[in-house]
Amino acid sequence: MSNRSRPTQTMLLAATLAIFLSGPCMGVAQTAPSAPVGEQTVAPLPEEAGSSPVPVTTPAPAEGDAVAAGGAPNLPHDLSPVGMFLAADVVVKSVMIALALASVATWAIFFVKTLELAFAKARMNRAVRALTAANGLAELKLDRKAGAAGEMIAAAVDEMSRSEAVLDQAPAAGVKERVASLLSRIEIRAGKRMSAGTGVLASIGSVGPFVGLFGTVWGIMNSFIGISKAQTTNLAIVAPGIAEALLATAIGLVAAIPAVVIYNYFARSVGGYKLILADAAAAVERLVSRDLDHRHIRKPQPQPRRQDGYGHGADASIARIG
């Protein structure tokens, strides 16, 4: 081999060696798996001598797990009671408004009926004391404006005056029966007037929780519909709707519990007022009975016909014959 061909052979040998050495590296680069979609590639650790690089991947954040600057989740709206009310559905909002009005009505009835019962009981207690101390209906100065006691006295006086023509001939039991009938009707009407409004409390106490439950069911249904539309189960997305639904139940309980307690209180108070009415009616009946007895004593009694002895009658008969 000549000296001229040696450089050419050396260049060919170097090119062949470079191609042979670069072949495995290209194969490794072509067969390395690419990072799957949704994963991030992290820089590999330092390689040891003779080891090939191994890519390390970490899962990407899931959809809906975005965190705002500062580390707090990005909630849809304010979760305060006022914010939940303003963001609630129309049906849920209507339920909340109805329950709030029911709660206002409950407390209004409580204050009004408390004052009414207090004044009525005080007035009836004074009337009962006056009726107990009197000796007859003529001594009483009460009128119809004095409440139920005045109505009872006026009814008894009116019946006595209408029965004046037959008081001396008819038995007193008929007058007493008519007066007792009038007093019982007055007593029932007075008790019914005092019980007015307590039926509303009973209705609110029994219906309020179910109305709140209806709002809760409706709100939770809307929350599930929102989950289906958003295609995510992230709690930060569905929590506001569930909270609004539970707020309706809470308002229903706030309206119902005081209504039940106040209704029971008024039931006992009205029962005590009816007892005072019964005492007043009994006192009026006693006064009527006393007046009838006094009238019977003052009535002039017929003189019994004097019967003469047998001899006097015989002489009168002989005189008539002679």
Side-chain angles (χ1 to χ4, degrees), residues 247-277:
L247 181 62
T249 298
I251 296 177
L253 295 177
V254 168
I257 293 174
V260 173
V261 175
I262 294 172
Y263 174 79
N264 294 332
Y265 166 74
F266 281 139
R268 294 189 298 268
S269 298
V270 172
Y273 176 73
K274 290 180 179 180
L275 289 177
I276 302 175
L277 288 174

PDB file of all heavy atoms in Angstrom, residues 247-277:
ATOM      1  N   LEU A 247     -79.912  25.922  55.144  1.00  0.00           N
ATOM      2  CA  LEU A 247     -80.366  27.169  55.767  1.00  0.00           C
ATOM      3  C   LEU A 247     -81.888  27.233  55.809  1.00  0.00           C
ATOM      4  O   LEU A 247     -82.469  27.746  56.773  1.00  0.00           O
ATOM      5  CB  LEU A 247     -79.807  28.368  55.001  1.00  0.00           C
ATOM      6  CG  LEU A 247     -80.173  29.752  55.541  1.00  0.00           C
ATOM      7  CD1 LEU A 247     -79.636  29.936  56.956  1.00  0.00           C
ATOM      8  CD2 LEU A 247     -79.645  30.848  54.624  1.00  0.00           C
ATOM      9  N   ALA A 248     -82.566  26.705  54.800  1.00  0.00           N
ATOM     10  CA  ALA A 248     -84.028  26.682  54.803  1.00  0.00           C
ATOM     11  C   ALA A 248     -84.553  25.826  55.959  1.00  0.00           C
ATOM     12  O   ALA A 248     -85.516  26.203  56.640  1.00  0.00           O
ATOM     13  CB  ALA A 248     -84.547  26.148  53.463  1.00  0.00           C
ATOM     14  N   THR A 249     -83.934  24.689  56.210  1.00  0.00           N
ATOM     15  CA  THR A 249     -84.350  23.858  57.341  1.00  0.00           C
ATOM     16  C   THR A 249     -84.110  24.566  58.666  1.00  0.00           C
ATOM     17  O   THR A 249     -84.940  24.498  59.587  1.00  0.00           O
ATOM     18  CB  THR A 249     -83.582  22.528  57.320  1.00  0.00           C
ATOM     19  OG1 THR A 249     -83.895  21.831  56.111  1.00  0.00           O
ATOM     20  CG2 THR A 249     -83.977  21.657  58.494  1.00  0.00           C
ATOM     21  N   ALA A 250     -82.981  25.261  58.783  1.00  0.00           N
ATOM     22  CA  ALA A 250     -82.685  25.979  60.021  1.00  0.00           C
ATOM     23  C   ALA A 250     -83.720  27.066  60.289  1.00  0.00           C
ATOM     24  O   ALA A 250     -84.198  27.229  61.421  1.00  0.00           O
ATOM     25  CB  ALA A 250     -81.284  26.588  59.934  1.00  0.00           C
ATOM     26  N   ILE A 251     -84.117  27.803  59.254  1.00  0.00           N
ATOM     27  CA  ILE A 251     -85.129  28.845  59.438  1.00  0.00           C
ATOM     28  C   ILE A 251     -86.470  28.228  59.805  1.00  0.00           C
ATOM     29  O   ILE A 251     -87.226  28.777  60.622  1.00  0.00           O
ATOM     30  CB  ILE A 251     -85.230  29.706  58.161  1.00  0.00           C
ATOM     31  CG1 ILE A 251     -83.909  30.437  57.913  1.00  0.00           C
ATOM     32  CG2 ILE A 251     -86.368  30.707  58.268  1.00  0.00           C
ATOM     33  CD1 ILE A 251     -83.895  31.241  56.634  1.00  0.00           C
ATOM     34  N   GLY A 252     -86.793  27.064  59.227  1.00  0.00           N
ATOM     35  CA  GLY A 252     -88.038  26.386  59.591  1.00  0.00           C
ATOM     36  C   GLY A 252     -88.071  25.990  61.052  1.00  0.00           C
ATOM     37  O   GLY A 252     -89.092  26.149  61.732  1.00  0.00           O
ATOM     38  N   LEU A 253     -86.949  25.510  61.578  1.00  0.00           N
ATOM     39  CA  LEU A 253     -86.898  25.159  62.997  1.00  0.00           C
ATOM     40  C   LEU A 253     -86.952  26.398  63.879  1.00  0.00           C
ATOM     41  O   LEU A 253     -87.580  26.386  64.951  1.00  0.00           O
ATOM     42  CB  LEU A 253     -85.615  24.366  63.279  1.00  0.00           C
ATOM     43  CG  LEU A 253     -85.524  22.990  62.604  1.00  0.00           C
ATOM     44  CD1 LEU A 253     -84.175  22.353  62.902  1.00  0.00           C
ATOM     45  CD2 LEU A 253     -86.653  22.094  63.064  1.00  0.00           C
ATOM     46  N   VAL A 254     -86.312  27.479  63.440  1.00  0.00           N
ATOM     47  CA  VAL A 254     -86.360  28.724  64.215  1.00  0.00           C
ATOM     48  C   VAL A 254     -87.788  29.253  64.301  1.00  0.00           C
ATOM     49  O   VAL A 254     -88.190  29.846  65.314  1.00  0.00           O
ATOM     50  CB  VAL A 254     -85.420  29.765  63.578  1.00  0.00           C
ATOM     51  CG1 VAL A 254     -85.641  31.147  64.162  1.00  0.00           C
ATOM     52  CG2 VAL A 254     -83.972  29.352  63.777  1.00  0.00           C
ATOM     53  N   ALA A 255     -88.583  29.041  63.267  1.00  0.00           N
ATOM     54  CA  ALA A 255     -89.977  29.495  63.295  1.00  0.00           C
ATOM     55  C   ALA A 255     -90.880  28.536  64.053  1.00  0.00           C
ATOM     56  O   ALA A 255     -91.848  28.966  64.700  1.00  0.00           O
ATOM     57  CB  ALA A 255     -90.486  29.677  61.864  1.00  0.00           C
ATOM     58  N   ALA A 256     -90.597  27.233  64.003  1.00  0.00           N
ATOM     59  CA  ALA A 256     -91.522  26.250  64.573  1.00  0.00           C
ATOM     60  C   ALA A 256     -91.335  26.056  66.072  1.00  0.00           C
ATOM     61  O   ALA A 256     -92.321  25.938  66.812  1.00  0.00           O
ATOM     62  CB  ALA A 256     -91.350  24.908  63.854  1.00  0.00           C
ATOM     63  N   ILE A 257     -90.106  26.017  66.540  1.00  0.00           N
ATOM     64  CA  ILE A 257     -89.863  25.721  67.960  1.00  0.00           C
ATOM     65  C   ILE A 257     -90.467  26.784  68.871  1.00  0.00           C
ATOM     66  O   ILE A 257     -91.193  26.456  69.828  1.00  0.00           O
ATOM     67  CB  ILE A 257     -88.356  25.524  68.207  1.00  0.00           C
ATOM     68  CG1 ILE A 257     -87.867  24.261  67.494  1.00  0.00           C
ATOM     69  CG2 ILE A 257     -88.055  25.444  69.696  1.00  0.00           C
ATOM     70  CD1 ILE A 257     -86.369  24.062  67.558  1.00  0.00           C
ATOM     71  N   PRO A 258     -90.232  28.084  68.653  1.00  0.00           N
ATOM     72  CA  PRO A 258     -90.897  29.077  69.518  1.00  0.00           C
ATOM     73  C   PRO A 258     -92.414  29.032  69.411  1.00  0.00           C
ATOM     74  O   PRO A 258     -93.106  29.284  70.408  1.00  0.00           O
ATOM     75  CB  PRO A 258     -90.337  30.417  69.010  1.00  0.00           C
ATOM     76  CG  PRO A 258     -89.076  30.074  68.325  1.00  0.00           C
ATOM     77  CD  PRO A 258     -89.300  28.737  67.718  1.00  0.00           C
ATOM     78  N   ALA A 259     -92.950  28.719  68.225  1.00  0.00           N
ATOM     79  CA  ALA A 259     -94.405  28.665  68.073  1.00  0.00           C
ATOM     80  C   ALA A 259     -95.007  27.578  68.954  1.00  0.00           C
ATOM     81  O   ALA A 259     -96.046  27.783  69.591  1.00  0.00           O
ATOM     82  CB  ALA A 259     -94.763  28.426  66.601  1.00  0.00           C
ATOM     83  N   VAL A 260     -94.364  26.420  69.017  1.00  0.00           N
ATOM     84  CA  VAL A 260     -94.880  25.325  69.857  1.00  0.00           C
ATOM     85  C   VAL A 260     -94.803  25.697  71.332  1.00  0.00           C
ATOM     86  O   VAL A 260     -95.751  25.481  72.107  1.00  0.00           O
ATOM     87  CB  VAL A 260     -94.093  24.031  69.572  1.00  0.00           C
ATOM     88  CG1 VAL A 260     -94.490  22.931  70.542  1.00  0.00           C
ATOM     89  CG2 VAL A 260     -94.323  23.575  68.141  1.00  0.00           C
ATOM     90  N   VAL A 261     -93.677  26.282  71.752  1.00  0.00           N
ATOM     91  CA  VAL A 261     -93.520  26.654  73.164  1.00  0.00           C
ATOM     92  C   VAL A 261     -94.537  27.722  73.564  1.00  0.00           C
ATOM     93  O   VAL A 261     -95.181  27.643  74.622  1.00  0.00           O
ATOM     94  CB  VAL A 261     -92.073  27.136  73.415  1.00  0.00           C
ATOM     95  CG1 VAL A 261     -91.918  27.647  74.832  1.00  0.00           C
ATOM     96  CG2 VAL A 261     -91.081  26.004  73.152  1.00  0.00           C
ATOM     97  N   ILE A 262     -94.715  28.726  72.710  1.00  0.00           N
ATOM     98  CA  ILE A 262     -95.654  29.815  73.019  1.00  0.00           C
ATOM     99  C   ILE A 262     -97.087  29.305  73.015  1.00  0.00           C
ATOM    100  O   ILE A 262     -97.924  29.726  73.832  1.00  0.00           O
ATOM    101  CB  ILE A 262     -95.456  30.970  72.020  1.00  0.00           C
ATOM    102  CG1 ILE A 262     -94.077  31.590  72.217  1.00  0.00           C
ATOM    103  CG2 ILE A 262     -96.530  32.026  72.179  1.00  0.00           C
ATOM    104  CD1 ILE A 262     -93.709  32.615  71.166  1.00  0.00           C
ATOM    105  N   TYR A 263     -97.406  28.386  72.111  1.00  0.00           N
ATOM    106  CA  TYR A 263     -98.756  27.815  72.087  1.00  0.00           C
ATOM    107  C   TYR A 263     -99.069  27.080  73.387  1.00  0.00           C
ATOM    108  O   TYR A 263    -100.160  27.221  73.951  1.00  0.00           O
ATOM    109  CB  TYR A 263     -98.898  26.878  70.894  1.00  0.00           C
ATOM    110  CG  TYR A 263    -100.212  26.140  70.861  1.00  0.00           C
ATOM    111  CD1 TYR A 263    -101.367  26.772  70.414  1.00  0.00           C
ATOM    112  CD2 TYR A 263    -100.297  24.822  71.296  1.00  0.00           C
ATOM    113  CE1 TYR A 263    -102.579  26.098  70.391  1.00  0.00           C
ATOM    114  CE2 TYR A 263    -101.502  24.147  71.279  1.00  0.00           C
ATOM    115  CZ  TYR A 263    -102.638  24.793  70.825  1.00  0.00           C
ATOM    116  OH  TYR A 263    -103.846  24.125  70.824  1.00  0.00           O
ATOM    117  N   ASN A 264     -98.130  26.289  73.868  1.00  0.00           N
ATOM    118  CA  ASN A 264     -98.346  25.586  75.141  1.00  0.00           C
ATOM    119  C   ASN A 264     -98.493  26.560  76.305  1.00  0.00           C
ATOM    120  O   ASN A 264     -99.313  26.344  77.210  1.00  0.00           O
ATOM    121  CB  ASN A 264     -97.187  24.617  75.395  1.00  0.00           C
ATOM    122  CG  ASN A 264     -97.140  23.485  74.391  1.00  0.00           C
ATOM    123  OD1 ASN A 264     -98.171  23.085  73.844  1.00  0.00           O
ATOM    124  ND2 ASN A 264     -95.964  22.955  74.130  1.00  0.00           N
ATOM    125  N   TYR A 265     -97.729  27.635  76.284  1.00  0.00           N
ATOM    126  CA  TYR A 265     -97.845  28.637  77.346  1.00  0.00           C
ATOM    127  C   TYR A 265     -99.221  29.292  77.332  1.00  0.00           C
ATOM    128  O   TYR A 265     -99.864  29.453  78.386  1.00  0.00           O
ATOM    129  CB  TYR A 265     -96.747  29.685  77.160  1.00  0.00           C
ATOM    130  CG  TYR A 265     -96.947  30.938  77.976  1.00  0.00           C
ATOM    131  CD1 TYR A 265     -96.730  30.935  79.354  1.00  0.00           C
ATOM    132  CD2 TYR A 265     -97.377  32.111  77.372  1.00  0.00           C
ATOM    133  CE1 TYR A 265     -96.925  32.088  80.103  1.00  0.00           C
ATOM    134  CE2 TYR A 265     -97.572  33.262  78.117  1.00  0.00           C
ATOM    135  CZ  TYR A 265     -97.345  33.241  79.480  1.00  0.00           C
ATOM    136  OH  TYR A 265     -97.545  34.373  80.215  1.00  0.00           O
ATOM    137  N   PHE A 266     -99.706  29.643  76.138  1.00  0.00           N
ATOM    138  CA  PHE A 266    -101.021  30.282  76.056  1.00  0.00           C
ATOM    139  C   PHE A 266    -102.143  29.302  76.384  1.00  0.00           C
ATOM    140  O   PHE A 266    -103.188  29.705  76.903  1.00  0.00           O
ATOM    141  CB  PHE A 266    -101.240  30.880  74.668  1.00  0.00           C
ATOM    142  CG  PHE A 266    -100.552  32.204  74.474  1.00  0.00           C
ATOM    143  CD1 PHE A 266     -99.917  32.509  73.285  1.00  0.00           C
ATOM    144  CD2 PHE A 266    -100.524  33.133  75.488  1.00  0.00           C
ATOM    145  CE1 PHE A 266     -99.276  33.715  73.112  1.00  0.00           C
ATOM    146  CE2 PHE A 266     -99.883  34.351  75.323  1.00  0.00           C
ATOM    147  CZ  PHE A 266     -99.261  34.643  74.123  1.00  0.00           C
ATOM    148  N   ALA A 267    -101.963  28.033  76.074  1.00  0.00           N
ATOM    149  CA  ALA A 267    -102.983  27.041  76.429  1.00  0.00           C
ATOM    150  C   ALA A 267    -103.171  26.990  77.942  1.00  0.00           C
ATOM    151  O   ALA A 267    -104.305  26.941  78.441  1.00  0.00           O
ATOM    152  CB  ALA A 267    -102.593  25.674  75.875  1.00  0.00           C
ATOM    153  N   ARG A 268    -102.074  27.029  78.677  1.00  0.00           N
ATOM    154  CA  ARG A 268    -102.189  27.034  80.140  1.00  0.00           C
ATOM    155  C   ARG A 268    -102.765  28.353  80.648  1.00  0.00           C
ATOM    156  O   ARG A 268    -103.596  28.369  81.570  1.00  0.00           O
ATOM    157  CB  ARG A 268    -100.819  26.779  80.770  1.00  0.00           C
ATOM    158  CG  ARG A 268    -100.262  25.389  80.501  1.00  0.00           C
ATOM    159  CD  ARG A 268     -99.020  25.134  81.319  1.00  0.00           C
ATOM    160  NE  ARG A 268     -97.957  26.081  80.979  1.00  0.00           N
ATOM    161  CZ  ARG A 268     -97.030  25.849  80.059  1.00  0.00           C
ATOM    162  NH1 ARG A 268     -97.047  24.709  79.378  1.00  0.00           N
ATOM    163  NH2 ARG A 268     -96.084  26.725  79.812  1.00  0.00           N
ATOM    164  N   SER A 269    -102.339  29.469  80.062  1.00  0.00           N
ATOM    165  CA  SER A 269    -102.818  30.775  80.523  1.00  0.00           C
ATOM    166  C   SER A 269    -104.302  30.953  80.237  1.00  0.00           C
ATOM    167  O   SER A 269    -105.054  31.455  81.089  1.00  0.00           O
ATOM    168  CB  SER A 269    -102.007  31.890  79.854  1.00  0.00           C
ATOM    169  OG  SER A 269    -100.644  31.809  80.210  1.00  0.00           O
ATOM    170  N   VAL A 270    -104.753  30.544  79.069  1.00  0.00           N
ATOM    171  CA  VAL A 270    -106.180  30.655  78.739  1.00  0.00           C
ATOM    172  C   VAL A 270    -107.003  29.734  79.622  1.00  0.00           C
ATOM    173  O   VAL A 270    -108.133  30.063  80.023  1.00  0.00           O
ATOM    174  CB  VAL A 270    -106.403  30.352  77.236  1.00  0.00           C
ATOM    175  CG1 VAL A 270    -107.882  30.279  76.912  1.00  0.00           C
ATOM    176  CG2 VAL A 270    -105.740  31.433  76.387  1.00  0.00           C
ATOM    177  N   GLY A 271    -106.448  28.561  79.953  1.00  0.00           N
ATOM    178  CA  GLY A 271    -107.146  27.676  80.881  1.00  0.00           C
ATOM    179  C   GLY A 271    -107.334  28.325  82.250  1.00  0.00           C
ATOM    180  O   GLY A 271    -108.412  28.216  82.862  1.00  0.00           O
ATOM    181  N   GLY A 272    -106.317  29.038  82.733  1.00  0.00           N
ATOM    182  CA  GLY A 272    -106.472  29.763  83.995  1.00  0.00           C
ATOM    183  C   GLY A 272    -107.489  30.880  83.906  1.00  0.00           C
ATOM    184  O   GLY A 272    -108.257  31.132  84.850  1.00  0.00           O
ATOM    185  N   TYR A 273    -107.525  31.574  82.760  1.00  0.00           N
ATOM    186  CA  TYR A 273    -108.520  32.633  82.571  1.00  0.00           C
ATOM    187  C   TYR A 273    -109.931  32.071  82.561  1.00  0.00           C
ATOM    188  O   TYR A 273    -110.867  32.683  83.117  1.00  0.00           O
ATOM    189  CB  TYR A 273    -108.213  33.367  81.271  1.00  0.00           C
ATOM    190  CG  TYR A 273    -109.217  34.428  80.908  1.00  0.00           C
ATOM    191  CD1 TYR A 273    -109.271  35.628  81.605  1.00  0.00           C
ATOM    192  CD2 TYR A 273    -110.105  34.230  79.857  1.00  0.00           C
ATOM    193  CE1 TYR A 273    -110.188  36.608  81.270  1.00  0.00           C
ATOM    194  CE2 TYR A 273    -111.023  35.202  79.517  1.00  0.00           C
ATOM    195  CZ  TYR A 273    -111.053  36.386  80.224  1.00  0.00           C
ATOM    196  OH  TYR A 273    -111.978  37.353  79.883  1.00  0.00           O
ATOM    197  N   LYS A 274    -110.130  30.899  81.978  1.00  0.00           N
ATOM    198  CA  LYS A 274    -111.458  30.278  81.960  1.00  0.00           C
ATOM    199  C   LYS A 274    -111.900  29.878  83.364  1.00  0.00           C
ATOM    200  O   LYS A 274    -113.105  29.928  83.675  1.00  0.00           O
ATOM    201  CB  LYS A 274    -111.456  29.062  81.034  1.00  0.00           C
ATOM    202  CG  LYS A 274    -111.342  29.421  79.557  1.00  0.00           C
ATOM    203  CD  LYS A 274    -111.343  28.173  78.690  1.00  0.00           C
ATOM    204  CE  LYS A 274    -111.259  28.535  77.217  1.00  0.00           C
ATOM    205  NZ  LYS A 274    -111.253  27.326  76.343  1.00  0.00           N
ATOM    206  N   LEU A 275    -110.962  29.501  84.206  1.00  0.00           N
ATOM    207  CA  LEU A 275    -111.318  29.208  85.594  1.00  0.00           C
ATOM    208  C   LEU A 275    -111.824  30.458  86.315  1.00  0.00           C
ATOM    209  O   LEU A 275    -112.785  30.392  87.103  1.00  0.00           O
ATOM    210  CB  LEU A 275    -110.111  28.622  86.330  1.00  0.00           C
ATOM    211  CG  LEU A 275    -109.694  27.202  85.947  1.00  0.00           C
ATOM    212  CD1 LEU A 275    -108.447  26.788  86.712  1.00  0.00           C
ATOM    213  CD2 LEU A 275    -110.833  26.228  86.203  1.00  0.00           C
ATOM    214  N   ILE A 276    -111.200  31.592  86.043  1.00  0.00           N
ATOM    215  CA  ILE A 276    -111.671  32.845  86.652  1.00  0.00           C
ATOM    216  C   ILE A 276    -113.061  33.195  86.129  1.00  0.00           C
ATOM    217  O   ILE A 276    -113.923  33.686  86.888  1.00  0.00           O
ATOM    218  CB  ILE A 276    -110.667  33.975  86.375  1.00  0.00           C
ATOM    219  CG1 ILE A 276    -109.284  33.606  86.922  1.00  0.00           C
ATOM    220  CG2 ILE A 276    -111.133  35.282  87.003  1.00  0.00           C
ATOM    221  CD1 ILE A 276    -108.202  34.609  86.584  1.00  0.00           C
ATOM    222  N   LEU A 277    -113.315  32.947  84.840  1.00  0.00           N
ATOM    223  CA  LEU A 277    -114.654  33.179  84.288  1.00  0.00           C
ATOM    224  C   LEU A 277    -115.679  32.286  84.980  1.00  0.00           C
ATOM    225  O   LEU A 277    -116.800  32.733  85.288  1.00  0.00           O
ATOM    226  CB  LEU A 277    -114.652  32.906  82.785  1.00  0.00           C
ATOM    227  CG  LEU A 277    -113.934  33.911  81.878  1.00  0.00           C
ATOM    228  CD1 LEU A 277    -113.913  33.391  80.447  1.00  0.00           C
ATOM    229  CD2 LEU A 277    -114.622  35.266  81.933  1.00  0.00           C
TER     230      LEU A 277
END
